[in-house]
Amino acid sequence: MSKFPSLKNHLLIAMPSLKDLHFSRSVTLLCEHNEDGAMGIVINHPLDFSTSELLEHMEIPCVQSHNINPVFAGGPVQVDRGFVLHRAEKLWNSSIQLKNNISITTSADILHAIGRHEVSNEAFIALGYAGWEAGQLETEIMENSWLTVPVDPEIVFSTEIDKRWEKSVQLLGVDIENLSNMSGHA
């Protein structure tokens, strides 16, 4: 029995030909990938409101001089559910630690800490997630919808949002505009 070739802890980069509204020019951090499917958070599609506005809406006290970071559209699945991607300086009630000092947390305790400015600026909230059923992501990769590269925390936390797609592609060492949309299978 061979080991499943998981892409967990990889960035999933949309090919220029992918025109889906939710994934056009997207970069998705894959938080889970196994025989049953995949789950990730889109890290470069900001919504029209800030973290402080979201916390205020949720009636979570917020230091107003902070938390102006945008909230992201993490994907089209369960858009009423929030995820916090952050440096793994501390683990919270519902944290999953990924590689390269990155964690994802779904519990409210981190939201209160963000509101109190107790979490570094290397954290952001995403609403919803991207999900794939068993074999679906692998098929989409074979159809040339996606490229993958191991996660780079600098892209996740330090790169300007509108540059994350280009910087992710640069990690591959190719000019994405020169890539063909046709897949080749020798």
Side-chain angles (χ1 to χ4, degrees):
M1 184 171 162
S2 64
K3 185 177 176 189
F4 181 82
S6 177
L7 293 172
K8 179 178 180 177
N9 297 302
H10 280 69
L11 295 176
L12 194 62
I13 306 162
M15 287 288 286
S17 59
L18 185 59
K19 302 298 183 200
D20 180 284
L21 174 69
H22 300 289
F23 297 109
S24 178
R25 294 179 64 94
S26 68
V27 178
T28 304
L29 172 58
L30 286 176
C31 303
E32 189 58 67
H33 183 223
N34 57 38
E35 298 90 348
D36 297 324
M39 179 268 186
I41 304 293
V42 176
I43 64 168
N44 67 328
H45 287 178
L47 295 169
D48 291 342
F49 53 94
S50 69
T51 298
S52 56
E53 290 171 315
L54 176 66
L55 294 177
E56 181 181 314
H57 176 75
M58 296 176 69
E59 300 181 355
I60 294 174
C62 181
V63 176
Q64 290 301 318
S65 63
H66 181 61
N67 299 321
I68 58 172
N69 293 335
V71 174
F72 289 81
V77 182
Q78 291 187 353
V79 296
D80 59 338
R81 186 166 180 203
F83 300 86
V84 179
L85 278 173
H86 58 95
R87 292 288 191 168
E89 298 158 347
K90 175 182 176 179
L91 295 182
W92 303 87
N93 288 338
S94 296
S95 292
I96 297 171
Q97 193 159 4
L98 303 173
K99 285 187 177 178
N100 298 328
N101 198 33
I102 299 172
S103 288
I104 183 170
T105 298
T106 58
S107 53
D109 56 339
I110 193 170
L111 296 176
H112 289 275
I114 288 171
R116 293 187 303 265
H117 191 61
E118 295 173 1
V119 176
S120 77
N121 283 335
E122 293 185 321
F124 60 86
I125 299 171
L127 297 179
Y129 67 92
W132 293 265
E133 295 178 353
Q136 182 182 1
L137 180 58
E138 295 81 359
T139 299
E140 291 179 13
I141 290 170
M142 290 182 62
E143 292 171 345
N144 270 2
S145 295
W146 304 102
L147 297 170
T148 62
V149 65
V151 66
D152 180 342
E154 292 303 310
I155 289 176
V156 176
F157 297 114
S158 302
T159 301
E160 292 177 43
I161 297 165
D162 63 345
K163 303 282 187 228
R164 290 179 182 173
W165 186 76
E166 290 85 358
K167 293 285 187 185
S168 297
V169 172
Q170 288 173 2
L171 292 175
L172 295 168
V174 298
D175 181 353
I176 199 151
E177 299 306 325
N178 292 332
L179 291 178
S180 169
N181 296 331
M182 303 298 291
S183 59
H185 303 284

